[in-house]
Amino acid sequence: MINCNGGHLRNVTIWRKARSAHLYRQSQIYARRGVDIDRSTLAFWVGKATHELKPVHDALLAHLKTPSKLFMDATPAPVLDPGRGKTKKGYFWALARDDRAWHGPEPPGVAFTYAPARSGKYASEILQGFEGILQVDGYAGYNRVLDLRDNAPIQLAYCWAHARRKLFDLPYHNIALQRKNALFAGHEEGTQYWAMLASLIETCKLNNIEPHSYITGVLTAIVNGHKQKDIEQLLPWNFMAGSNAYQSNPY
């Protein structure tokens, strides 16, 4: 469980992602306020908070795969290569759903997953449990998902339609901003934490939900012992719709 520093932890986690702020800058901000907090402590807080959000990220990914049509894309993620003093190229794989244009019943959302390469095997792993039409670019690696030994029946639709591009431009805006200023993480675990947090924040934005309020509420619910079997209640569209009821009667 998250400790009593939950308020600081939530602020550090959300502020770092939503404003593309780096931990050394946040350390400086705390120092100007008379609070000496080392970057390693802040990094620990970010990692701990995001680890607590993993079940919510997993539930989001599973929920996105329930309809029969999804978008998939990948973008490079530079990560430090420990011991070599260099960077290596990993990838953020994005799985997204947005049926608003044709009044679909499911809310829009996007889930990022970090992988060390753009190999089709990672796409296949992410798509476990999905059956339907997958809209992608022309990358040949996606052919791996057609293997019925690995996946349920999937039909590839090679299209860069306006709706698909518009959807991915929004989630990737913050990724591009981070890439311009610095590496995503000093290790792959940190990069996956970033992917999980980005998933929840960008899904909030797609649903016109204020990310800070949402993540503050979800972390509070987790601290208070929210049951794993009810994890879907913590997805952005469910949690914010029932936030008043949840606060008065969480179970």
Side-chain angles (χ1 to χ4, degrees):
M1 285 295 181
I2 300 171
N3 62 27
C4 61
N5 290 320
H8 286 304
L9 184 149
R10 289 189 294 269
N11 288 334
V12 169
T13 301
I14 299 164
W15 199 77
R16 179 174 186 262
K17 169 62 183 73
R19 302 188 185 181
S20 301
H22 305 300
L23 293 179
Y24 79 90
R25 295 176 187 169
Q26 292 184 57
S27 181
Q28 291 174 340
I29 290 171
Y30 277 109
R32 287 197 294 269
R33 297 173 179 173
V35 181
D36 185 15
I37 303 178
D38 189 77
R39 276 180 288 174
S40 62
T41 301
L42 295 177
F44 173 78
W45 286 359
V46 171
K48 187 170 179 60
T50 311
H51 176 75
E52 297 291 345
L53 293 171
K54 185 180 185 302
V56 186
H57 175 267
D58 292 344
L60 172 62
L61 185 59
H63 194 285
L64 291 178
K65 292 188 284 188
T66 53
S68 59
K69 182 171 60 180
L70 289 175
F71 306 115
M72 195 172 209
D73 203 1
T75 191
V79 183
L80 282 176
D81 193 355
R84 299 184 61 191
K86 299 180 180 180
T87 62
K88 57 183 178 181
K89 183 188 289 186
Y91 283 86
F92 286 122
W93 290 82
L95 194 64
R97 175 184 70 205
D98 190 354
D99 294 337
R100 290 174 293 181
W102 40 91
H103 308 291
E106 300 293 346
V110 58
F112 295 99
T113 303
Y114 173 77
R118 203 189 178 198
S119 167
K121 75 172 185 177
Y122 297 111
S124 180
E125 291 171 359
I126 294 167
L127 288 165
Q128 291 295 310
F130 171 69
E131 179 177 349
I133 299 173
L134 184 68
Q135 198 167 344
V136 297
D137 62 12
Y139 172 54
Y142 287 116
N143 291 328
R144 173 70 178 265
V145 308
L146 302 177
D147 191 334
L148 296 179
R149 293 172 297 179
D150 297 327
N151 296 90
I154 294 175
Q155 178 182 346
L156 296 180
Y158 298 100
C159 178
W160 281 89
H162 174 69
R164 178 176 187 271
R165 199 61 261 156
K166 183 178 180 181
L167 173 64
F168 278 111
D169 280 348
L170 173 63
Y172 282 155
H173 172 74
N174 281 332
I175 288 180
L177 183 59
Q178 286 270 12
R179 182 169 56 217
K180 179 179 178 181
N181 292 318
L183 298 173
F184 288 105
H187 52 81
E188 292 186 345
E189 183 181 32
T191 312
Q192 180 57 25
Y193 284 158
W194 193 99
M196 291 191 292
L197 189 59
S199 302
L200 298 177
I201 289 177
E202 299 306 327
T203 295
C204 280
K205 292 178 181 179
L206 288 170
N207 289 275
N208 297 315
I209 294 170
E210 200 282 306
H212 185 279
S213 298
Y214 166 71
I215 293 183
T216 296
V218 167
L219 285 174
T220 299
I222 292 172
V223 167
N224 290 336
H226 186 87
K227 296 179 180 179
Q228 175 66 31
K229 69 181 182 66
D230 298 324
I231 197 66
E232 283 205 358
Q233 293 178 2
L234 301 185
L235 293 176
W237 47 82
N238 292 334
F239 185 79
M240 299 312 293
S243 58
N244 292 333
Y246 183 89
Q247 290 171 8
S248 60
N249 183 21
Y251 307 112

